[in-house]
Structures are given as structure tokens and as C-alpha cells.
Amino acid sequence: MITTEGLTKRYRRRDALRDITLQIPDGGVTALVGPNGAGKSTLLKLCIGFERPTAGRLEVNGIDPVRDRSRAVASIGFVPQTPSLYRDLTITDHLDLAGAIRPGFDVAHARSRLEALALPTDARVGTLSGGEQSQVCLAIALGTRAPLLLLDEPLANLDPLARRDFLRVARRAANDGDTTIVLSSHVISEIEEAADRLLVLGEGRVLFDDTVAHSVDSHRVVEVGADLGEADFVSRFPGRGEEVHWLVRRPSADIGRPATLEEVVLGYLARGRASSAGMISPSATA
Amino acid sequence: MTRLPAILRPNRLEITGSVFLAIAMGVIGGGVAASRVLGPLLGRFPSYCLGPESVKPADCDHFVGRINDYENVLSNIGPAAIAITVALPLIAAIVLGLALTARELEQQTTVFAWSLAPSRRRWLLSRLGPLLLVVAAMCLVAGALADAIFGLQSTVDPWRSLDGLGTRGPPVAGMGALAMGVTLFVGSLLGRQLPALLAAVALTASASALASGVTDRWLDQESLIAPSDQLSEGDRFVAMLFLTPEGEAIGWEEAERRYGTAIYEVDTQQLGLTQVFRYVPGERYPTAVARLTAIQLLVGAIGIGLALVVVQRRRPWA
């Protein structure tokens, strides 16, 4: 479980995270979604102790990564945005190295994952494609047998097929055991099938936090200017073409149409932006 | 022990390079050091003719020309051979030091390693330990070879001569540890190879000069005063002084203040002054070596300690 309270991370001129309070429960896959610069990677780097919070509290599996980074790292498997492997070493070399520096690393488990993907373990990492390198990183993260896997934008550099493979392996790992996966991404369409929970980050704040199923069920898209009745207005967001829609919450079933997950995310991102500009109401945004 | 090959595999390029440097060091330093044996063979004169003049048999006179040729060659290549023999392990120390932190940070492989290794300190020490041993072994051999080459050109025991202090013997190992510690620290701080290389070379040179300076000043404080004819090879000359009739040793400036420019114009003995030398006896060499090596090792240890602190606190990218 990841718990934060008033968590803030400030770089020289920019707030990456602003006073974030959230809980990511154990089990399943939580998708951390938001645009570039939303603070997704920063949150994950704080969890594994690569960054230190400017203010607030953070606990990973009940451990404060600032006070006890060793224990925090020991409970995490991490896949970085850009595969950070040794280009001149083979996959087997990486597995051996991981086994040497990580107590309890399950080389056989990681190897079996790679063999299932038919990756040549004697190949130098530098000769592998970006997708294959990401799979190596994921297999090594799985080999840690850590209760928490943090996957930092692993889909960003992958082609659609490789994304599918990657998400399938991650999803299976979450289903198989007691592994909790937190996956940051801005590719919304493909995480819908893989994720159980959705956490939308924007401009350093948590804009939305719910299960994926409930996120979709509880939102509808209506045309601008429609009578909202009992529904709560969320935001006005752009459609695929020139059109603009409203996203509403807890609506009666006869209003508009069901929202897709992408529309929920877009709606809350637009709400975050409007909130920063002080424009949250249908009349203000119409 | 079975983990060691896996842990060192990312550094195999630098380790292989260091092996080549060690071989080059052995060939150059060892080759020149072995000239005590090879020289007479190649120059076709008996090896016993290389002993002190007093014990040379009369038949060595026939080989004077060849012996002189050999000694000329040795005096030309000896200092260069010492410099190269000592420099090669120091290059290895800097290259290995760079690979341990600066290269990992620059290529962001620290993200891989630090996300797996619960303890960054243990991650660094587990790789530093064996490589430091490799550097220390290379440096000790280099120091011994430099001592041997120095011995070929000197009529006194190298361990009773302050000439070449710091460029031979155990201080070479001290310098290797210093270079590696400084490079490790600078590399962990800067996280980029080229700036770290330049800074490490500059800092290593400065720290070595400082260590030598401290040792020299320490030795100077233990200097003795004796007539110039009592100085022997291996002693370190510090200053020329005058001994007054009252038995006081004074320098040139003080002598000029007391006796005027007469000290330049007449024989100083006419003024009652005896010329003496302040010097450090060559017998102090083992003590000086112990001090210099200790200072170098201390600086190296400080560098390693600082690197561990930096690695513990920094981000895993440059």
C-alpha cells in the first residue's frame, strides 16, 4: 500500500507534486494517469527513494522511504521509463547481476518470464528493441518477488503489440499472486483492460481516484448546454473533432451517453486545468 | 565469492584494460629492472663488473667501454621507465574509479542497480573492494619495480636514500588508493565521465603534491647540520648555512646582515664562518615512506568515505 499525506515535491521553479494525500490499496493494478509533467514519475521516484519529498509524508508498504530506504527498496520492484540496462551485457548477465545484488532475487522466475516471450537470454541488451528491453526490465522487476511493482511509463516507447504483451504479463502477475502494481502512463486506451483502479494526476494534484469500473459507470457525456438535472457537472472537454462535451457524474440513466475511460480522464484533466484558472461551473465553461 | 564475477561483469572492459596496463607495466618496468641480468648478457661483459668500483676485479677493465654504454643507456631510459611503470597503475586506478560511479550515473545504469540493491553502500563497496585490491597489487608491483630500477642507478640501498621519495616503493600504492578514492568521490558527485576525469586528475595531482609537501616539511623539521663533506648519497640537502664562531648556524641573509657583503667577497673562513649543510639523512627514508603512504591512504579513504555519502544521498542519474 502507498499512503501519502500532504506530499509535496518542489523542484527549483516548479511544483511537481502539491500537497497530495492519497491511498493506493494493496492488490490489483492501479493506473496513474496524467499528462507529461503531471507528477506521475515523481510520485514513483519518491516511493523508491530516488527523490526526497519537499514536504509531507509518504509510506510504502508501511515504510518511510526517506527514513528507511533499504527496506522500502527491498519491498519494491521498479521498471523505469527508459530501460536502464547495461548495453554490453547479455540478459543472463543482468539476471546474474540482479541475483547478486538483490537478496532473494528469483532468477528462475525472471528467466521463465523471458523464455515465455521467446527472448534470447544470451543476446546483448544493446541489440534488443525498446520493447524487448522493457520486457527484460519487467521480468527483472517480477524476479524480485516484491509485493509492490512500480512501472514508470513503461508503455511510452513501445509499439502497440509490445504494449499488449507488456500489459498482459503485468496483469497476469497481479492476478497470480499478492503483487500490487502501480503503472503510470498517459496511454489511456490500453490501460483500461489492465487496470483495476484509476488515479488521475494533473498539475501536481490528484484530480480523480476511483476503480476503473466505477469510473466508467458513474460518468456520462452530455452535450454542452443540456439540462443536468441531478447530475454533478465535472468539466467541459474537447471531443475527437471540433465538438465539445460536458462530463457529468452520478447522472440519471436517461441523460447523455455512457462515458469511456478516456473521456473520464480527459474530463478530470480539463477540470484540473479549469480549477487552476478558477472556472469550474457549466456557465463559466459553456 | 560466486557473486563476484556477476557483480564485476559491468566493469569487465575496464578490468581487461587494467590487465593490459599491468602487462605493459610488467614488460617495461620488469624489463628495465632485469637489465642487471640482461645488460651484461646483451653487452657481453661479466655481471660482476657492475658491482662497486672497490670490489671490481681487474679483468673488468677490458669491458669499460661496454659497461659505460650500458650505464649510459640505463641512465637515459631508467627515469622514463620509472615514470611509465608508476603512471600505468595510476591510470588504471582512475579508469576503474570512473567506471564505478561516473559511468554508471552517466549511463543511468544506477537506476537499474539502485532499484534492486537495498543498500547503495553495499552495492558500491562490493565492487570497489576487489578493484581496489587489483589497483593496490598493481601499484605495489610498480613501486617494487621502480625501487629496483632506482637501485640500478644508485650506489646506495634505495631504502636508505631520500632521492625519488614518493615515486617508488609503497607510496606508489598510496598514490593509487588516493587516485581511486578521489576519482570515486568526484565521479559520484559530478556523474559525468569527462568532467570527472579532468577534475580527478587535477585533484589527484594536487592532493599528491600536498601529501609530498607535508612529508617534506615534516622531514625538514628533523634535519641535521653537518659539514658539507659529511653528506653522502641518499641524504637530502635542505640548505647551506654558516656556522659562526659562537656555534650558531645562520643562513645567507642573516650572514649578510651581520657581516655585510664581505661574505661574497672574501673567503668566509677569514670571517670565522664555517660552511655547513642542513640535511636529512637517508636513513630517514623508511619513516618518510611510512608517513607519506599513510597520508595518501588517508586522503584516499576520505575520498571513498565521501563517495559513499554522496551515493547514499544523490539521485541515480547525472
Side-chain angles (χ1 to χ4, degrees):
Chain A
M1 180 191 281
I2 297 174
T3 312
T4 75
E5 212 176 281
L7 185 68
T8 299
K9 176 63 187 177
R10 189 172 301 123
Y11 293 109
R12 277 180 199 166
R13 293 181 185 170
R14 190 175 64 86
D15 283 343
L17 291 175
R18 281 186 233 168
D19 196 25
I20 281 190
T21 298
L22 60 81
Q23 274 198 353
I24 297 177
D26 284 339
V29 178
T30 296
L32 211 55
V33 175
N36 292 330
K40 308 182 297 290
S41 289
T42 302
L43 179 60
L44 299 186
K45 285 169 185 168
L46 286 166
C47 289
I48 198 164
F50 285 176
E51 299 277 7
R52 286 166 175 255
T54 308
R57 203 170 59 81
L58 166 67
E59 278 189 3
V60 179
N61 298 321
I63 305 156
D64 181 340
V66 176
R67 290 187 182 166
D68 193 353
R69 189 174 51 208
S70 298
R71 275 182 61 216
V73 170
S75 71
I76 293 172
F78 182 70
V79 176
Q81 187 170 358
T82 311
S84 55
L85 303 167
Y86 297 89
R87 294 182 60 80
D88 293 334
L89 299 193
T90 64
I91 294 175
T92 299
D93 290 338
H94 280 85
L95 297 180
D96 292 344
L97 181 58
I101 63 177
R102 174 72 168 229
F105 184 81
D106 190 341
V107 175
H109 183 59
R111 192 183 293 276
S112 69
R113 294 276 175 183
L114 293 165
E115 284 168 355
L117 295 165
L119 282 176
T121 52
D122 57 347
R124 286 188 182 214
V125 163
T127 64
L128 302 177
S129 69
E132 289 170 330
Q133 289 185 30
S134 293
Q135 289 287 11
V136 173
C137 289
L138 178 60
I140 289 171
L142 291 169
T144 61
R145 295 282 193 183
L148 176 63
L149 292 190
L150 304 179
L151 315 182
D152 185 9
E153 300 259 13
L155 309 177
N157 302 317
L158 304 187
D159 61 62
L161 206 60
R163 280 181 196 166
R164 276 277 155 87
D165 281 343
F166 189 96
L167 288 173
R168 188 169 41 79
V169 173
R171 180 71 252 181
R172 198 181 301 154
N175 291 344
D176 282 353
D178 304 325
T179 310
T180 303
I181 294 179
V182 179
L183 164 76
S184 81
S185 178
H186 55 252
V187 184
I188 303 159
S189 56
E190 303 205 5
I191 58 164
E192 188 165 0
E193 289 170 26
D196 303 301
R197 194 170 188 86
L198 175 69
L199 214 152
V200 181
L201 281 181
E203 309 196 11
R205 289 174 294 136
V206 177
L207 302 175
F208 182 72
D209 179 8
D210 204 345
T211 61
V212 168
H214 192 251
S215 302
V216 176
D217 288 349
S218 62
H219 289 85
R220 294 185 78 85
V221 173
V222 298
E223 295 314 309
V224 173
D227 179 13
L228 298 185
E230 296 288 306
D232 293 338
F233 174 77
V234 175
S235 72
R236 165 196 160 104
F237 69 95
R240 290 193 182 276
E242 293 296 314
E243 75 278 16
V244 176
H245 308 291
W246 280 354
L247 181 72
V248 296
R249 187 170 45 198
R250 280 187 283 128
S252 50
D254 57 352
I255 183 171
R257 60 171 172 80
T260 64
L261 189 67
E262 186 173 11
E263 286 169 332
V264 173
V265 171
L266 284 174
Y268 279 92
L269 289 176
R271 181 185 171 87
R273 228 165 260 173
S275 168
S276 300
M279 294 167 58
I280 291 284
S281 75
S283 55
T285 59
Chain B
M1 283 301 282
T2 52
R3 290 177 173 181
L4 201 56
I7 287 172
L8 294 180
R9 205 159 295 150
N11 302 115
R12 61 185 170 187
L13 181 69
E14 292 80 13
I15 293 170
T16 307
S18 298
V19 169
F20 279 111
L21 289 177
I23 292 169
M25 179 191 86
V27 169
I28 295 168
V32 177
S35 70
R36 168 72 70 173
V37 177
L38 295 176
L41 283 176
L42 296 173
R44 285 175 290 143
F45 60 86
S47 59
Y48 55 76
C49 291
L50 290 174
E53 291 293 331
S54 56
V55 297
K56 280 183 188 171
D59 62 331
C60 289
D61 291 346
H62 299 296
F63 306 106
V64 166
R66 291 174 188 176
I67 293 170
N68 285 344
D69 287 345
Y70 162 74
E71 287 179 342
N72 281 339
V73 170
L74 188 61
S75 65
N76 285 333
I77 65 167
I82 289 178
I84 294 169
T85 303
V86 169
L88 292 179
L90 297 182
I91 292 170
I94 289 175
V95 167
L96 290 170
L98 280 176
L100 284 176
T101 48
R103 199 194 63 185
E104 296 264 358
L105 286 161
E106 186 171 285
Q107 298 181 351
Q108 298 192 13
T109 43
T110 36
V111 172
F112 172 81
W114 294 359
S115 67
L116 286 170
S119 168
R120 294 183 189 179
R121 284 192 188 126
R122 209 171 297 151
W123 165 80
L124 183 56
L125 288 173
S126 65
R127 298 154 67 235
L128 172 64
L131 298 184
L132 196 57
L133 283 178
V134 169
V135 168
M138 279 178 73
C139 288
L140 284 171
V141 171
L145 290 174
D147 253 350
I149 297 169
F150 177 84
L152 294 177
Q153 303 168 86
S154 172
T155 56
V156 295
D157 177 2
W159 276 75
R160 293 172 72 86
S161 169
L162 287 164
D163 293 343
L165 172 65
T167 61
R168 58 191 176 86
V172 178
M175 198 132 71
L178 183 152
M180 199 157 184
V182 166
T183 309
L184 205 63
F185 167 57
V186 172
S188 65
L189 202 64
L190 300 179
R192 296 224 176 259
Q193 291 185 86
L194 186 59
L197 171 65
L198 298 175
V201 169
L203 278 175
T204 298
S206 306
S208 298
L210 193 68
S212 295
V214 169
T215 310
D216 287 347
R217 286 192 72 118
W218 202 339
L219 275 177
D220 289 352
Q221 286 172 6
E222 298 167 345
S223 59
L224 306 174
I225 291 170
S228 54
D229 58 356
Q230 283 190 16
L231 249 69
S232 55
E233 191 182 342
D235 294 342
R236 171 175 286 184
F237 168 81
V238 178
M240 200 184 88
L241 303 171
F242 291 111
L243 201 62
T244 66
E246 295 78 27
E248 187 187 358
I250 58 172
W252 279 88
E253 282 183 15
E254 179 62 16
E256 188 178 340
R257 198 181 62 76
R258 291 188 192 180
Y259 300 96
T261 54
I263 58 167
Y264 304 114
E265 292 155 4
V266 297
D267 185 351
T268 49
Q269 283 190 331
Q270 291 175 18
L271 301 169
L273 297 172
T274 311
Q275 274 195 3
V276 290
F277 285 164
R278 183 181 288 282
Y279 77 107
V280 184
E283 287 77 15
R284 301 292 297 160
Y285 180 77
T287 309
V289 160
R291 285 175 189 159
L292 178 57
T293 309
I295 294 170
Q296 291 168 329
L297 289 175
L298 179 66
V299 176
I302 290 171
I304 292 169
L306 289 173
L308 288 170
V309 171
V310 173
V311 158
Q312 193 65 14
R313 296 187 65 85
R314 72 160 295 146
R315 295 173 180 145
W317 47 82

